[in-house]
Amino acid sequence: MRGCKFCAIAEGKEEASVVYEDELTLAFMDINPLVPGHTLVVPKRHFPDIFSLKEPWGSACFLAAGRVARAVRAAFGAEGLDLLQLNGRVGGQSVFHFHIHVVPRYPGDGFGFFSKRRPVTREELERHAARIREAMEEVL
Ligand code: 5GP
Ligand code: ZN
């Protein structure tokens, strides 16, 4: 898509430090890494987010993320590793071409995502699960 920087990278029109490529996906270093080894996996076709992502690019991205994760862990000696995937401005997304962050984790790296969790009742969980099950029928 014109004006999309990840399309430009996927088409070889913009510079990137590529670590992996297959028919459907590309993985390259994040230009502004959270930690050393922070890598992004993108489909070579433009999809803005998880809501629009189609097969076979979706499966291919997660397969590629697994491969990149194993390589990043081996290369950087990471003790753990997070996959992050943000959607929508309110979700923290800033580049509107679907991507999976592969973020190696090191002891004391000082950031965490699940900072505001709270326990809820089983009734509340069941109410929420029922809403999602109902919506599932429309999206499958
Ligand atoms: P988001 O917040 O949309 O999930 O993440 C976008 C990510 O893309 C950010 O981590 C940012 O550092 C990275 N990024 C933005 N522009 C470029 C670029 O031109 N090249 C590379 N390699 N990474 C980029
Ligand atoms: Zn794009």
Side-chain angles (χ1 to χ4, degrees):
M1 199 189 80
R2 275 171 77 98
C4 171
K5 56 170 83 170
F6 288 178
C7 280
I9 289 172
E11 289 161 16
K13 291 178 182 155
E14 196 163 318
E15 195 180 25
S17 299
V18 172
V19 301
Y20 173 80
E21 180 172 12
D22 59 37
E23 197 189 333
L24 300 173
T25 75
L26 186 72
F28 51 89
M29 305 312 295
D30 193 298
I31 205 169
N32 191 17
L34 279 165
V35 286
H38 182 174
T39 306
L40 302 172
V41 177
V42 304
K44 287 182 174 174
R45 168 88 62 95
H46 184 84
F47 301 99
D49 51 32
I50 190 69
F51 308 116
S52 54
L53 182 65
K54 290 197 169 48
E55 289 301 326
W57 293 270
S59 301
C61 280
F62 283 94
L63 183 69
R67 290 179 174 157
V68 171
R70 289 188 285 277
V72 167
R73 183 176 66 161
F76 284 83
E79 276 191 26
L81 183 142
D82 294 344
L83 297 184
L84 296 172
Q85 200 284 304
L86 314 181
N87 298 282
R89 226 170 275 285
V90 74
Q93 188 177 8
S94 60
V95 176
F96 291 86
H97 177 128
F98 176 90
H99 53 279
I100 302 170
H101 296 259
V102 178
V103 185
R105 299 296 306 270
Y106 308 102
D109 58 24
F111 65 93
F113 184 64
F114 293 103
S115 55
K116 288 189 179 168
R117 281 147 71 114
R118 64 179 177 96
V120 295
T121 61
R122 174 61 53 190
E123 288 71 29
E124 190 171 351
L125 292 179
E126 274 305 317
R127 274 200 306 278
H128 291 175
R131 283 167 60 177
I132 296 168
R133 282 195 298 266
E134 204 179 309
M136 195 68 75
E137 288 163 21
E138 291 159 30
V139 300
L140 281 179

